[in-house]
Amino acid sequence: EMIKVGICREQDRIVGCCARRNPQIVLSHLSTLAAAERVELSILDVHRSRGRLQIDTASVSAPSSIGSKSLGLATEFRRAYFGFDGTIPGNFGYRIEADIANSSIDPTDVYLTYTGIKNLTLTIGQHKPFESMEDTESDLFTSFMERASFNTAFGFERRLGLSAQYQKGMVLAQVGVFTDNVTDLNADTDNSYSIDSRFALQPRLFGGQAHIGGSAHYHDLNDSSATVRYRARPFTHTTDIRFVDTKAISALSETNYGVELGWTGGPVHFTAESQWMKVNRPGAIADPTFNGGYVEAGLFLTKGDTLPYKASEGTWTRIKPKNGVDKGGIGAVQVNARYDWLDLNDNGVLGGRQELVGASLLWVPTDYVRFIIDYGHLWLKDAAVAAGADRSYNADVIGMRAQFDF
C-alpha cells in the first residue's frame, strides 16, 4: 500500500513524504515533528483494492420425465467481485464493489460508514439488511457452496438504506431502514421500504463461543398492484430450475422473523436457523406464512483449526489454517453435515416443499484460498415442476468450487 502524508507549517511551507515499506515509521516521525513544530498532520487517504473469484461446477440429477435442459452438468463464475475500500479522515470509511461475473456489472456493497461513536457503526448506502445469521455471513466463508434455501427463496439481498450497529461485550444490536436494491430502484414504480432489525447475545458457554439471536423485518411494497414470488434452486446456482416456486402472488407487504443459534469451540461448530415469512395479501384473500431453516454441524480433521466467530457482525468468519501450505503444512480440512427445509405451501398457495440432507468437504490451504466439494439429496413434495404426472420425487446434486480472494 502507498500511504501519502502531507504536513503544513505556519509559514505556508509544505513538506511531503511517502512510504512504501514501513509507513508506521514515517507516521511516527511526522507525529514527533508535528508536536515539535506546531504543524498539522493529516492522512489524506488510505485505500486498498479487494476482490474475489468463485468458479463452480455442479450436476443436478432428477427424473428424466421432467424434460428440462437445466438438469445435468454445468459450470459458471458464481461470483467475480472487484472493488476497493478505505478510510477518510474523521472516522469515515467506504466500500465500492461490484460483481462482474457472467458479462454483467451488478453493484454489491456501495456504502459510507461512520465509527466516531464508541461501539457504534453507522452505515448509509447499499448493504445487507441484517436478514439472518447466514445471510450476514460473507459468501467467502459459508460451509457449503450455497446458503440455506430460505435465504434465496425469501428474497434476501443488499438494499439501499441507513443502518446502525451496536456491539459491546456480549450484546449485538442492528437496525436499519431500507428501500430496495439499487438496480431495482431504476424503476419509478418501486416505492417499497423496509424496517429491519437483528439482535444477538454472545456469551461464552461450554468452553466455546455461543450465539443466541433473532431478527424481525417489515417490508411495505407500497403498491396496491404489487406481487411477490418465492422460489429456490436445488442446492446449486449452476441451474436455473426451481423445483419449489409459488409463482407471482398479489401482496401488500411482508413480515418475516427468524431465530438463530450457533456455537463454536475447538474443532467443532453447530448452527441452526429458522425463518417465517408472512405475506399480507389484499382484500379477503388469506395470508400465507411460509417457513424454512437448517441445522448444521461441522468438524475440523486437522489439528488446531477452529471456526472463528466475528462478534461485531454476529456470524462466522474466515478460517485461518494453523498449518497452511505457506507454512509447510496441508492447511485446514473440515467436514460438515446439514439438514435444510423449505415449505412454500400455506393458505391456498401451493409452492411445494423441499427437504435436503447434505454433506461438504472443505480444504483451506491458506487464509485466502478455499476448495469445496458438497453433495445433497433432495425430497420434493408438491413440486412446481412435474416429473410427468408426479409432483413428489427425489433429486441429487453434487458440486465443486474453487475460490480465492484478496
Side-chain angles (χ1 to χ4, degrees):
E1 299 289 346
M2 170 85 72
I3 297 182
K4 298 179 180 179
V5 181
I7 60 172
C8 303
R9 294 190 60 188
E10 292 177 345
Q11 298 178 349
D12 297 326
R13 185 164 63 90
I14 299 177
V15 178
C17 66
C18 62
R20 291 180 181 272
R21 297 186 179 275
N22 199 333
Q24 289 81 9
I25 294 176
V26 175
L27 291 175
S28 176
H29 172 73
L30 291 175
S31 296
T32 303
L33 179 63
E37 303 192 26
R38 295 195 304 274
V39 300
E40 181 182 357
L41 174 67
S42 63
I43 299 178
L44 301 179
D45 188 27
V46 179
H47 72 272
R48 68 183 182 95
S49 60
R50 53 183 288 116
R52 71 191 67 175
L53 179 65
Q54 295 176 332
I55 306 172
D56 288 3
T57 298
S59 178
V60 182
S61 300
S64 59
S65 54
I66 290 176
S68 173
K69 294 183 179 180
S70 294
L71 301 176
L73 183 68
T75 301
E76 69 172 357
F77 282 138
R78 178 63 177 94
R79 296 176 180 90
Y81 288 10
F82 183 77
F84 52 91
D85 57 18
T87 60
I88 302 172
N91 299 305
F92 290 98
Y94 61 89
R95 177 175 296 175
I96 301 175
E97 187 176 64
D99 186 357
I100 58 175
N102 304 312
S103 302
S104 63
I105 300 177
D106 297 314
T108 55
D109 288 328
V110 183
Y111 58 72
L112 176 72
T113 62
Y114 177 73
T115 56
I117 304 173
K118 188 176 182 180
N119 304 317
L120 187 68
T121 299
L122 302 177
T123 304
I124 185 169
Q126 173 154 291
H127 56 294
K128 293 182 177 180
F130 320 123
E131 294 282 6
S132 71
M133 184 179 183
E134 192 177 38
D135 185 66
T136 303
E137 178 183 8
S138 170
D139 55 68
L140 290 169
F141 311 141
T142 56
S143 302
F144 289 79
M145 290 170 60
E146 297 298 327
R147 295 182 173 92
S149 299
F150 75 84
N151 287 287
T152 53
F154 295 163
F156 297 168
E157 63 178 353
R158 293 170 173 86
R159 295 177 179 175
L160 182 63
L162 172 66
S163 71
Q165 176 173 292
Y166 173 86
Q167 200 281 326
K168 182 179 181 181
M170 60 178 285
V171 175
L172 171 68
Q174 300 165 315
V175 64
V177 178
F178 295 84
T179 54
D180 211 333
N181 184 278
V182 293
T183 302
D184 297 329
L185 289 175
N186 289 330
D188 291 340
T189 55
D190 191 336
N191 300 309
S192 66
Y193 68 90
S194 69
I195 302 172
D196 301 271
S197 62
R198 182 169 174 254
F199 178 83
L201 296 177
Q202 305 166 322
R204 298 285 300 180
L205 290 176
F206 310 113
Q209 176 64 57
H211 173 98
I212 305 168
S215 64
H217 315 268
Y218 174 74
H219 183 203
D220 193 327
L221 301 174
N222 203 20
D223 184 349
S224 60
S225 61
T227 61
V228 293
R229 184 179 187 179
Y230 306 103
R231 57 181 183 165
R233 290 180 170 90
F235 202 50
T236 178
H237 191 270
T238 59
T239 179
D240 287 330
I241 199 168
R242 277 86 163 179
F243 295 130
V244 287
D245 186 348
T246 65
K247 308 301 183 183
I249 59 175
S250 58
L252 298 176
S253 64
E254 302 170 305
T255 303
N256 63 297
Y257 50 93
V259 293
E260 311 168 0
L261 292 174
W263 185 89
T264 181
V268 177
H269 84 273
F270 166 83
T271 316
E273 289 191 80
S274 188
Q275 282 259 350
W276 291 262
M277 173 68 75
K278 181 180 179 180
V279 185
N280 178 25
R281 305 195 66 188
I285 305 176
D287 298 339
T289 298
F290 307 121
N291 173 248
Y294 69 96
V295 178
E296 173 186 300
L299 173 69
F300 281 96
L301 304 181
T302 44
K303 186 177 180 180
D305 290 313
T306 190
L307 181 63
Y309 177 77
K310 190 173 184 178
S312 62
E313 296 182 0
T315 190
W316 311 126
T317 188
R318 186 184 301 276
I319 296 171
K320 297 184 177 182
K322 185 175 182 180
N323 296 298
V325 297
D326 54 329
K327 302 174 184 176
I330 65 167
V333 178
Q334 184 191 40
V335 292
N336 301 280
R338 169 177 288 201
Y339 169 66
D340 178 300
W341 75 92
L342 178 64
D343 189 350
L344 299 180
N345 291 341
D346 194 46
N347 272 349
V349 179
L350 198 64
R353 179 178 174 85
Q354 176 176 288
E355 295 179 85
L356 174 141
V357 171
S360 70
L361 174 67
L362 274 66
W363 177 41
V364 186
T366 69
D367 295 4
Y368 296 92
V369 178
R370 177 180 294 210
F371 299 92
I372 304 175
I373 299 177
D374 61 24
Y375 165 78
H377 180 76
L378 297 93
W379 293 268
L380 285 306
K381 182 180 179 181
D382 301 320
V385 179
D390 192 1
R391 292 190 179 274
S392 295
Y393 49 86
N394 300 340
D396 296 277
V397 180
I398 186 167
M400 297 178 288
R401 169 176 292 172
Q403 77 172 43
F404 72 89
D405 70 291
F406 58 90

